């Protein structure tokens, strides 16, 4: 892999902007990208869970990625999530990501028909990686949603034999023992991207140096402070910042979680990404007011 650079710091899992008709609204992405570039965020993770990938068509996913690559204009990295229950669709997206100039690809495990063994998971991903050419590949591990809970450390070792561009995992799981085992493999050979924003401090203490998160979109300074304090071993300071993240996540959970609540927060910070696609219910005007009140109560706008 030419010019491969390991990730460090924050990667924001982007929301997919939609208009009032529920169509993808690409026009918001320029402003969104300028906002990301003005923060310490180092990259974006496009069309992941936060980006509602499973509610988008293949053509929409391609158009969104193309727009992010153009709007980012090399100011930050663009990681294309290409995962799908359909291997052929994932291959099409991986090929497209390579042609479009994305910096890396990632893929979630298929979750309708689930792989039952590490070998089955490797065999599912191998052709997807192959068509992505030189692009680094991250396995997106999220057992809470996929129901696929195979040992990631074993996957990395076995997967590397068939997928030379497998470089790590986006680890959205609170099994820190397994996370430690992945980080420790062959003297930190693999990247482990922390995936649960509200416990970032725990992942960093295990040795992770990068994270992918939805809340990095709107409180990047909070997470930047956590990364910086942990680098300096200032654990109490990091913990105080982590509590601000926890208070924020408590609020988004009240409004339906990181995708629904987070998308509404994007509007409140001035980047209107509209509503989510069904089955995630749209926000009402009253709900936006209530959300703002709850965020005021935790002093969110002063973070
Ligand atoms: C389950 C889930 O959506 N996890 C989020 C977190 O950022 C999450 O929203 C946050 O930790 C709040 O719980 C990310 O890991 C997801 C993500 O990176 C993605 O959009 O693909």
């Amino acid at each position: 892999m030419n010019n491969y650079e390991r990730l460090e710091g924050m990667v924001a899992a982007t929301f997919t902007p939609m208009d009032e008709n529920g169509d993808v609204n690409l026009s918001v992405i320029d402003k969104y990208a300028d906002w990301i570039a003005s923060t310490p965020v180092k990259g974006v993770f496009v069309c992941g869970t936060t980006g509602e990938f499973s509610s988008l068509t293949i053509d929409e996913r391609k158009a969104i990625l193309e727009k992010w690559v153009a709007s980012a204009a090399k100011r930050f990295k663009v990681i294309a999530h290409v995962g799908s229950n359909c291997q052929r669709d994932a291959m099409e997206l991986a090929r497209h990501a390579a042609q479009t100039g994305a910096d890396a690809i990632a893929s979630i495990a298929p979750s309708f028909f689930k792989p039952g063994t590490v070998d089955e998971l490797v065999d599912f991903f191998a052709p997807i990686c192959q068509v992505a050419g030189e692009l680094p590949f991250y396995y997106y591990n999220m057992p809470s949603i996929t129901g696929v809970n195979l040992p990631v450390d074993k996957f990395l070792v076995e997967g590397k034999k068939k997928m030379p561009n497998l470089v790590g995992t986006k680890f959205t799981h609170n099994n820190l023992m397994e996370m430690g085992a992945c980080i420790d493999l062959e003297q930190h050979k693999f990247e482990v991207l922390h995936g649960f924003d509200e416990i970032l401090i725990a992942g960093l203490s295990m040795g992770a140096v990068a994270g992918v998160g939805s809340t990095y979109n709107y409180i990047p300074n909070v997470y930047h402070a956590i990364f910086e304090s942990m680098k300096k071993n200032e654990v109490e300071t990091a913990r105080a910042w982590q509590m601000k993240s926890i208070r924020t996540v408590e609020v988004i959970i009240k409004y339906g979680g990181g995708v629904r609540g987070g998308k509404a927060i994007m509007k409140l910070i001035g980047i209107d990404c509209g509503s989510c696609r069904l089955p995630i219910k749209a926000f009402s005007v009253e709900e936006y007011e209530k959300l703002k009140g709850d965020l005021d109560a935790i002093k969110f706008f002063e973070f």
Side-chain angles (χ1 to χ4, degrees), residues 18-23 25 272 274-275:
M18 310 267 179
D19 65 19
E20 50 289 349
N21 300 317
D23 291 323
N25 189 357
D272 188 353
S275 296

Side-chain angles (χ1 to χ4, degrees), residues 13 45 48-50 140 142 170 172 195-198 212-214 249 258:
F45 189 83
T49 308
T50 307
Y140 182 172
M142 187 160 58
K170 172 177 154 2
T172 305
F196 272 139
D197 316 357
E198 56 275 41
V212 181
S214 68
V249 171

Side-chain angles (χ1 to χ4, degrees), residues 226-289:
I226 295 173
F227 273 103
E228 292 304 304
S229 330
M230 287 299 283
K231 266 188 220 160
K232 291 185 249 166
N233 276 328
E234 293 170 0
V235 178
E236 278 190 32
T237 308
R239 195 179 298 136
W241 284 104
Q242 186 72 75
M243 283 316 299
K244 292 179 196 287
S245 141
I246 287 176
R247 295 293 169 235
T248 307
V249 171
E250 284 171 349
V251 173
I252 58 177
I253 288 172
K254 187 171 162 189
Y255 290 89
V259 185
R260 184 171 189 268
K263 212 168 189 182
I265 293 180
M266 292 305 283
K267 180 171 165 136
L268 297 182
I269 68 158
I271 299 167
D272 188 353
C273 292
S275 296
C276 296
R277 277 199 176 154
L278 291 170
I280 304 180
K281 213 173 108 198
F283 251 67
S284 64
V285 176
E286 297 74 41
E287 255 186 315
Y288 276 115
E289 281 309 308

Side-chain angles (χ1 to χ4, degrees), residues 17 28 55 80 100 124 128 184 217 220 245 249 253 265 280 286 292:
V28 175
S55 306
T100 304
F124 180 83
I128 301 168
D184 197 46
N217 282 289
S245 141
V249 171
I253 288 172
I265 293 180
I280 304 180
E286 297 74 41
K292 186 164 178 315

Side-chain angles (χ1 to χ4, degrees), residues 24-178:
V24 173
N25 189 357
L26 296 177
S27 69
V28 175
I29 293 177
D30 280 335
K31 181 179 180 184
Y32 196 162
D34 288 348
W35 157 247
I36 293 290
S38 74
T39 72
V41 169
K42 299 283 179 37
V44 289
F45 189 83
V46 175
C47 292
T49 308
T50 307
E52 300 173 72
F53 79 93
S54 58
S55 306
L56 299 168
T57 67
I58 297 300
D59 284 347
E60 286 172 331
R61 290 173 70 173
K62 287 183 182 174
I64 294 163
L65 181 69
E66 285 166 21
K67 185 65 187 163
W68 270 106
V69 169
S71 301
K74 305 259 179 244
R75 293 176 293 174
F76 49 82
K77 290 194 179 185
V78 178
I79 302 170
H81 175 246
V82 301
S84 168
N85 277 332
C86 171
Q87 190 197 48
R88 302 293 167 109
D89 282 351
M91 287 170 71
E92 187 176 334
L93 289 168
R95 201 177 288 112
H96 171 261
Q99 287 159 356
T100 304
D103 295 290
I105 59 162
S107 180
I108 203 158
S111 59
F112 188 77
F113 297 125
K114 296 187 207 319
T117 63
V118 164
D119 285 346
E120 285 169 15
L121 186 59
V122 171
D123 287 344
F124 180 83
F125 284 142
I128 301 168
C129 275
Q130 202 187 359
V131 295
E134 295 282 300
L135 290 188
F137 168 61
Y138 297 89
Y139 165 44
Y140 182 172
N141 177 53
M142 187 160 58
S144 62
I145 292 188
T146 61
V148 177
N149 197 357
L150 295 166
V152 183
D153 50 342
K154 186 161 178 239
F155 168 82
L156 292 171
V157 172
E158 293 307 312
K160 191 73 181 170
K161 295 176 188 163
K162 287 192 180 165
M163 298 177 282
N165 51 342
L166 172 66
V167 294
T169 174
K170 172 177 154 2
F171 197 90
T172 305
H173 196 11
N174 50 19
N175 183 345
L176 294 172
M177 178 172 162
E178 184 178 60

